[in-house]
Amino acid sequence: MKTILLLIHFLISFCVLNAQNPEWINYNTTNSGLPNYYVSSIAIDGSGNKWFGTGAGGVAKLADTTWTVYNNSNSGLPYDGITTIAIEEGTGIKWIGTQGLAKFDDTTWMVYNYLTSGLPGHRKFNSVGSGNKWIGTYSGGLARFDGDTTWTIYNTQNSGLPSDYVWSIVTDSLGNLWIGTGAGLAEFNGDSSWTIYNSSNTGLSNDNVTSVAIDGSGNKWIGTSHGGLARFDGTNWMIYDSTNSVFLDNCVITIAIDESDNKWIGTYFGLVKFDDTNWTVYTELNSGLPEKIIPSIAIDGFGNKWLGTSANGVSVYREGGVILAIDEARKSENPEALVLMQNFPNPFNIITTVRYKVTKPGWVSLKVFNAMGSELQHW
């Protein structure tokens, strides 16, 4: 008998917004504590705090309305140019790509570089995961770090990695890594098995894979620097480019996927939303976006899209109005009826999340049945 673990998030949500809430809010160096206009990376921790990596101002943290800046002069950060921020699940530790890799646990800083650790290069582009940390480098391949003393390096000389330029890393539900490189997409089981997808053996039209994201159905969404967007379901490839979609220059910088499986895509010509049927493009001409180049996207628990720009700070967008704090959500109107939303991810292997809204606080009973009508679990 197969055992299924279902993870339930009990949400008593009041998410219908008051009409006066703006859909766009912009933060820059003149109206906030943001230290630099170029926001290369955004991460959101378990408490809802936003962490912004900037091109020349270090790291900024936004906790409700309080800004804190960490830079080379006031912290253990070794350099003020930040390429990426990843937050470790469970511990909340921040792993910051800069000149080397910086680790910050909200109190203590530790820096790893090619002189003091097993890192194969100097400037880091990505780190993901808890337990083992996977770090993509600019020219040194892929590094795995156990968080203690052991480093393992994968490069074009000793593994199936097709390029030593690693731009993006995500992990699927089975623990396989999907790695965007300068020479295609690599699937790696973390041990010895490599599968390479490129323009010669798949539908990919460009091999420079800048970003990878996985939706609730397990589909991989692959952004390229000159070939638009690709969707891979494990068997079939679908390419979206200037011939059949909105991608004017076929360049995708970053991809984020919300809980409704909408794809939010940062490009050089604006923000793109794709719901698997319809395309929407947001630019500085038709929205509150202050500019069109979007190098980073993160989505918070309220559904706000936090958008890093290349020269105008951070924009926050939410259809119907931005919610910045829990108090705002509680002051808004209650849902008029019970709402049960699609579980995510679906299909799932071990864990899935079911979200629902109720009209008022109280005890809720939730039962899960299989396709034969048998009850699997009861809360």
Side-chain angles (χ1 to χ4, degrees), residues 297-353:
I297 303 173
I299 302 173
D300 68 19
F302 294 123
N304 299 313
K305 272 61 72 176
W306 293 78
L307 314 167
T309 74
S310 67
N312 284 278
V314 175
S315 284
V316 192
Y317 171 63
R318 184 182 184 279
E319 305 94 323
V322 173
I323 299 176
L324 291 178
I326 191 66
D327 288 342
E328 292 184 44
R330 287 172 175 164
K331 290 175 183 176
S332 58
E333 300 176 34
N334 297 348
E336 296 181 357
L338 172 68
V339 178
L340 180 63
M341 289 167 276
Q342 177 66 54
N343 66 299
F344 176 86
N346 180 34
F348 64 94
N349 184 28
I350 301 297
I351 294 176
T352 192
T353 297

Side-chain angles (χ1 to χ4, degrees), residues 38-102:
Y38 174 39
V39 179
S40 58
S41 177
I42 305 174
I44 302 174
D45 67 23
S47 299
N49 302 315
K50 286 74 185 177
W51 295 79
F52 306 103
T54 71
V59 174
K61 172 187 175 183
L62 175 59
D64 291 330
T65 59
T66 302
W67 291 84
T68 306
V69 175
Y70 304 92
N71 56 40
N72 180 249
S73 64
N74 69 0
S75 74
L77 198 64
Y79 183 65
D80 288 341
I82 308 299
T83 56
T84 189
I85 302 175
I87 298 177
E88 186 174 312
E89 294 181 6
T91 66
I93 291 172
K94 290 77 189 172
W95 295 86
I96 302 164
T98 178
Q99 282 190 351
L101 180 67

Side-chain angles (χ1 to χ4, degrees), residues 18-294:
N18 294 321
Q20 67 268 22
N21 284 10
E23 288 194 336
W24 292 87
I25 296 175
N26 295 317
Y27 297 101
N28 55 49
T29 57
T30 62
N31 67 0
S32 74
L34 204 62
N36 185 256
Y37 276 111
Y38 174 39
V39 179
S40 58
S41 177
I42 305 174
I44 302 174
D45 67 23
S47 299
N49 302 315
K50 286 74 185 177
W51 295 79
F52 306 103
T54 71
V59 174
K61 172 187 175 183
L62 175 59
D64 291 330
T65 59
T66 302
W67 291 84
T68 306
V69 175
Y70 304 92
N71 56 40
N72 180 249
S73 64
N74 69 0
S75 74
L77 198 64
Y79 183 65
D80 288 341
I82 308 299
T83 56
T84 189
I85 302 175
I87 298 177
E88 186 174 312
E89 294 181 6
T91 66
I93 291 172
K94 290 77 189 172
W95 295 86
I96 302 164
T98 178
Q99 282 190 351
L101 180 67
K103 173 186 176 183
F104 181 47
D105 64 4
D106 295 327
T107 303
T108 304
W109 292 84
M110 182 173 292
V111 177
Y112 307 91
N113 58 43
Y114 72 103
L115 296 175
T116 61
S117 73
L119 275 175
H122 200 48
R123 189 169 179 138
K124 304 303 121 212
F125 268 83
N126 229 321
S127 64
V128 294
S130 55
N132 285 320
K133 269 52 77 174
W134 294 91
I135 302 111
T137 74
Y138 183 75
S139 59
L142 177 71
R144 181 177 69 184
F145 179 44
D146 68 358
D148 187 14
T149 59
T150 303
W151 294 82
T152 306
I153 308 303
Y154 304 89
N155 56 40
T156 55
Q157 302 299 312
N158 67 2
S159 74
L161 192 69
S163 171
D164 289 336
Y165 289 80
V166 176
W167 307 116
S168 179
I169 310 168
V170 295
T171 307
D172 66 20
S173 60
L174 299 177
N176 298 316
L177 274 69
W178 293 81
I179 306 161
T181 80
L185 175 68
E187 179 187 3
F188 179 44
N189 72 350
D191 184 16
S192 59
S193 176
W194 294 84
T195 304
I196 307 303
Y197 306 91
N198 56 40
S199 56
S200 66
N201 65 4
T202 73
L204 279 175
S205 54
N206 182 261
D207 289 339
N208 194 29
V209 176
T210 56
S211 55
V212 186
I214 302 176
D215 68 20
S217 299
N219 299 310
K220 283 71 185 180
W221 293 84
I222 301 106
T224 68
S225 64
H226 294 92
L229 179 71
R231 173 185 177 271
F232 179 49
D233 64 6
T235 303
N236 302 305
W237 291 82
M238 178 65 192
I239 305 300
Y240 304 95
D241 57 23
S242 58
T243 65
N244 63 356
S245 70
V246 298
F247 293 104
L248 301 180
D249 58 5
N250 287 334
C251 185
V252 172
I253 308 174
T254 188
I255 306 167
I257 300 177
D258 66 23
E259 290 188 350
S260 298
D261 254 0
N262 297 310
K263 290 76 192 175
W264 296 88
I265 305 155
T267 76
Y268 282 98
F269 66 87
L271 173 69
V272 176
K273 175 186 176 183
F274 183 45
D275 65 5
D276 294 330
T277 303
N278 301 304
W279 299 88
T280 307
V281 179
Y282 305 87
T283 71
E284 73 276 27
L285 300 178
N286 68 359
S287 72
L289 200 62
E291 69 157 289
K292 60 185 179 182
I293 302 177
I294 312 297

